[in-house]
Amino acid sequence: MSNNIKKVVLAYSGGLDTSVIVPWLKENYNNPFVIGVCVNVGQTSELSNINKRANSSGLDKLIVIDAQKEFIDNYCFKALKAGAKYEGYTMGTPLARPLIAQKLVEIANKEHADAICHGATGKGNDQVRFELSIMNLAPNIKIIAPWREWELTSRSDEFDYCEKHNIKLNGISREKNYSKDLNLWHLSHEGMELEDPSNEPNWEYMELCNTPEKASDEAEYISIEFEKGLPIKVNDEYLDSLSLVKKLNEIAGKHGIGILDIVANRIIGMKAHSVSESPGATLLYRAHELLESLCLDKSTTHFKNFVAQEYAQLVYTGHWFTPLKEALDVFVDKTQEHVSGVVKLKLYKGNMIVAGLKSKYSLHSQELATFEEDDIFNQKDSSGFLKIYGLEMKTLGLLKNKLTEDIDGKEK
């Protein structure tokens, strides 16, 4: 391993992987100066005693960056406006990774670091997301990925390493060592019994969402107001983006909304089973798509569904800092110019039941769509429309009849 690495910036969380990485870097890269960068994207509850844990692992310097509002405004809400979901997943982790990578590069430049290090495994998606972002933002810096270099092969090996080096861990044990990722947009759980999708998850580990059995027995009505595709009010109260997401996480979580048990296709080709909790995000996605159904014309709606899939693919596979993603943002922003209005939902035991939609840009006309008598639509006009619209089908039918007659004639 290179002896030219004098200073390393590490994506630091204080969890099992990064606690092992610090002394491993010291041992294997000729004792470099290691700067841990912890980017707070909503995992505030996990940051207690992080300075003590950093000292325990031998970290030379710790920098904690509060990027919570930046995460919501510049990442989560962009995906929300796009309607981007990957295989039904609101992508809390994929959205956070380019932001974290950007902060790592900023610190690496400021500190004149020789390398950036991350704790993503060689099997996972995050190695792709971190490294593609870093390659784009700092193409000449060295990237260190210990899971692709060291001799440790399992989380059990990591626990052994921590015990040998007297590294203190925060609430992590061999018996309860789920791989978790928490931010404002979601909390994901992997590992342990979840590695086998035939097992029912242990619902006791849920932190953001009640299960339906524990959810409130009383239904709750909630209204969310949007302006140009962005949520601005909850129950008629103006809230900044950070406060709004926190409030919706609390309300939706109470009613068991946002639990997703999924087997997803990873970037490198394998499937992985996980459970995620995304209460506020799930509620916002549902409200937003309902408002779009009222305000977007048919052609835009159908094409935007295609764009949403492509946008999700870009986010999931680490292509955030790309010209295509930037171009799609321009398209999405244009579609959102009239996505303003109020969505009312009834929340009950994991369900989001529509209780009313209203917008001054509504394309729904009660006078036009009514089953009662109206002065706008003459139903006789549909006769000419159907003759032209059905011309292709009629032509196909005539051809089929002709071919059948020709076959029957030959058989005779």
Side-chain angles (χ1 to χ4, degrees):
M1 296 180 185
S2 175
N3 291 327
N4 297 324
I5 305 299
K6 306 299 182 185
K7 188 179 288 188
V8 179
V9 167
L10 168 65
Y12 183 76
S13 67
L16 179 60
D17 292 333
T18 54
S19 295
V20 172
I21 286 172
V22 177
W24 180 86
L25 284 170
K26 298 281 188 181
E27 292 174 354
N28 292 275
Y29 277 88
N30 198 28
N31 196 32
F33 189 88
V34 182
I35 303 169
V37 177
C38 178
V39 183
N40 182 4
V41 286
Q43 74 279 25
T44 309
S45 60
E46 297 180 351
L47 300 182
S48 61
N49 299 320
I50 193 166
N51 285 291
K52 186 181 293 185
R53 280 177 277 150
N55 291 332
S56 171
S57 65
L59 199 64
D60 295 296
K61 182 177 181 179
L62 175 65
I63 299 173
V64 179
I65 301 171
D66 188 345
Q68 294 181 84
K69 195 169 188 307
E70 184 177 356
F71 176 51
I72 294 299
D73 290 343
N74 297 342
Y75 292 83
C76 298
F77 278 3
K78 283 181 181 288
L80 172 67
K81 288 192 296 182
K85 291 192 227 178
Y86 181 82
E87 298 181 3
Y89 165 52
T90 54
M91 302 191 295
T93 297
L95 286 166
R97 294 314 186 229
L99 171 58
I100 294 171
Q102 186 177 45
K103 300 302 179 185
L104 293 173
V105 169
E106 289 175 2
I107 297 299
N109 289 335
K110 183 178 179 181
E111 297 281 347
H112 305 290
D114 304 300
I116 293 175
C117 179
H118 66 77
T121 72
K123 290 183 178 180
N125 297 318
D126 281 341
Q127 60 180 340
V128 179
R129 297 163 186 153
F130 279 132
E131 296 190 29
L132 263 61
S133 296
I134 294 168
M135 287 174 189
N136 178 278
L137 299 171
N140 295 319
I141 199 164
K142 179 176 175 57
I143 299 172
I144 301 174
W147 271 105
R148 303 203 299 262
E149 297 182 24
W150 62 24
E151 295 181 357
L152 305 179
T153 60
S154 67
R155 291 175 75 82
S156 294
D157 287 349
E158 288 185 297
F159 280 109
D160 292 340
Y161 189 97
C162 288
E163 290 168 4
K164 180 181 177 181
H165 290 76
N166 196 31
I167 299 170
K168 293 180 175 58
L169 299 172
N170 187 38
I172 307 170
S173 66
R174 293 180 187 269
E175 296 73 30
K176 189 180 179 183
N177 63 348
Y178 293 102
S179 177
K180 300 198 305 180
D181 185 67
L182 171 65
N183 60 47
L184 287 162
W185 212 231
H186 89 155
L187 168 60
S188 65
H189 309 264
E190 291 183 316
M192 302 291 286
E193 82 282 347
L194 293 176
E195 291 187 350
D196 183 352
S198 69
N199 292 327
E200 181 179 5
N202 176 10
W203 300 113
E204 294 302 317
Y205 59 61
M206 305 298 281
E207 297 178 29
L208 303 181
C209 298
N210 285 325
T211 58
E213 295 87 349
K214 293 182 179 180
S216 173
D217 291 327
E218 298 291 329
E220 180 176 355
Y221 285 91
I222 184 172
S223 67
I224 303 174
E225 183 170 341
F226 291 81
E227 185 176 285
K228 294 187 176 181
L230 292 173
I232 58 171
K233 285 185 185 179
V234 174
N235 296 332
D236 294 324
E237 178 187 5
Y238 276 108
L239 294 169
D240 66 84
S241 56
L242 184 56
S243 301
L244 184 143
V245 170
K246 287 181 176 180
K247 187 177 185 70
L248 292 183
N249 276 337
E250 181 182 344
I251 294 172
K254 180 175 68 173
H255 292 282
I257 290 162
I259 301 171
L260 180 66
D261 186 328
I262 185 173
V263 177
N265 291 293
R266 283 185 176 172
I267 298 169
I268 62 171
M270 68 174 67
K271 291 183 182 290
H273 180 222
S274 65
V275 170
S276 66
E277 306 174 63
S278 308
T282 300
L283 189 56
L284 282 170
Y285 264 84
R286 180 58 177 151
H288 182 261
E289 68 184 20
L290 285 168
L291 187 59
E292 283 193 328
S293 73
L294 195 67
C295 300
L296 293 186
D297 63 275
K298 182 175 70 173
S299 297
T300 302
T301 298
H302 292 177
F303 190 76
K304 187 171 180 290
N305 288 338
F306 167 77
V307 169
Q309 292 300 312
E310 183 62 27
Y311 200 104
Q313 189 74 16
L314 292 173
V315 173
Y316 193 80
T317 59
H319 289 76
W320 183 269
F321 298 109
T322 59
L324 176 56
K325 185 263 172 191
E326 292 176 3
L328 293 183
D329 278 329
V330 176
F331 167 79
V332 169
D333 285 343
K334 182 64 180 179
T335 69
Q336 300 300 291
E337 288 180 352
H338 290 165
V339 182
S340 301
V342 179
V343 178
K344 188 176 181 182
L345 296 166
K346 181 166 72 171
L347 313 181
Y348 183 68
K349 299 286 186 182
N351 294 293
M352 298 172 286
I353 303 162
V354 184
L357 310 173
K358 184 169 65 174
S359 171
K360 65 180 180 181
Y361 299 111
S362 172
L363 294 175
H364 176 270
S365 169
Q366 184 175 344
E367 293 80 6
L368 187 59
T370 181
F371 283 99
E372 303 302 323
E373 183 179 354
D374 68 89
D375 297 323
I376 302 175
F377 190 90
N378 186 339
Q379 299 198 34
K380 293 179 181 179
D381 292 342
S382 290
S383 297
F385 162 75
L386 276 167
K387 286 179 181 178
I388 296 172
Y389 190 66
L391 183 60
E392 181 182 15
M393 292 298 177
K394 187 170 183 177
T395 302
L396 288 169
L398 289 170
L399 176 61
K400 185 166 63 174
N401 288 344
K402 183 178 183 303
L403 293 173
T404 301
E405 289 172 359
D406 289 346
I407 292 171
D408 289 344
K410 289 179 180 179
E411 289 179 348
K412 291 177 181 179

